[in-house]
Amino acid sequence: MRILGVDPGLRVTGFGIIDSRAQNLQYITSGCIRTGQGEIGDRLKTIFEGLSNVVGKKSVDEVAIEKVFLNKNPQTTLSLGQARGAAICAVALRGLMPVEYTALQVKKSVVGYGHAEKKQVQLMVQRLLGLDKVPPSDAADALACAICHAGTLEVAKTIDARRLDLKKGRLI
């Protein structure tokens, strides 16, 4: 299963793609879409086109995106929501419906601690994917989101398999 993780941001949107087979994770690609300082419409268009291009080239099966958190500055929260909207539209138009995870869920899944610092996330992503170097922060967050989703899918498969066994009258 090929999973795209997205860490939306109005200035920088991180993306990362992994393959997940059982409990094996393989790095495919990652990067950052930088929007510059232009008008809001141009910046959202850059995010939309950038992610559309990534999804189109890499045959993605699943998408995981970080949820908006409430910030002290309402304008920052609004901007982040707009960036997420552009990202969600880009993948939805390709027939993919993103699964949303909070930053707390992603960090807990990848690092084991929901309040981990960015550097800890970067180092764990590097280790889990066997990367030669530490990925940039935004790309690492996106890869962490994809890794979180891969783990969630594995747990769901296990639960479904156990339900099937229970339906057949077998004890687990």
Side-chain angles (χ1 to χ4, degrees), residues 53-155:
N53 189 32
V54 168
V55 172
K57 287 183 178 178
K58 297 296 180 184
S59 301
V60 173
D61 300 308
E62 295 272 335
V63 178
I65 189 167
E66 201 168 290
K67 279 185 182 179
V68 171
F69 61 93
L70 291 178
N71 200 304
K72 290 179 183 177
N73 181 344
Q75 187 59 43
T76 301
T77 304
L78 179 61
S79 295
L80 182 56
Q82 291 170 324
R84 283 184 79 254
I88 290 169
C89 286
V91 299
L93 285 174
R94 297 280 184 168
L96 299 164
M97 290 299 120
V99 177
E100 299 177 286
Y101 295 96
T102 65
L104 190 77
Q105 288 172 305
V106 172
K107 289 176 181 180
K108 186 153 177 108
S109 173
V110 173
V111 179
Y113 176 60
H115 298 286
E117 295 183 18
K118 284 198 170 279
K119 190 67 177 170
Q120 291 173 300
V121 173
Q122 288 174 279
L123 291 171
M124 280 305 294
V125 165
Q126 179 189 20
R127 179 171 287 152
L128 290 170
L129 297 177
L131 303 176
D132 293 335
K133 60 182 182 175
V134 176
S137 179
D138 295 295
D141 287 349
L143 287 165
C145 204
I147 292 167
C148 175
H149 189 57
T152 301
L153 290 174
E154 276 305 306
V155 169

Side-chain angles (χ1 to χ4, degrees), residues 8 14 23 33 36-37 44-45 61 70 100 117-118 166 171:
Q23 294 180 0
I33 299 165
Q37 298 295 324
L44 295 173
K45 180 181 175 198
D61 300 308
L70 291 178
E100 299 177 286
E117 295 183 18
K118 284 198 170 279
L166 288 173
L171 292 176

Side-chain angles (χ1 to χ4, degrees), residues 1 3 7 27 38-39 48 51 75 100-101 119 126 140 149 168:
M1 171 143 333
I3 303 169
D7 178 38
Y27 173 82
E39 295 294 319
F48 178 85
L51 281 178
Q75 187 59 43
E100 299 177 286
Y101 295 96
K119 190 67 177 170
Q126 179 189 20
H149 189 57
K168 292 177 184 174

Side-chain angles (χ1 to χ4, degrees), residues 7-47:
D7 178 38
L10 191 55
R11 280 181 276 177
V12 181
T13 292
F15 67 89
I17 299 177
I18 62 170
D19 276 346
S20 174
R21 290 186 185 89
Q23 294 180 0
N24 296 320
L25 302 175
Q26 181 183 5
Y27 173 82
I28 302 301
T29 191
S30 64
C32 296
I33 299 165
R34 299 186 187 284
T35 63
Q37 298 295 324
E39 295 294 319
I40 186 77
D42 291 333
R43 295 168 82 182
L44 295 173
K45 180 181 175 198
T46 299
I47 294 167

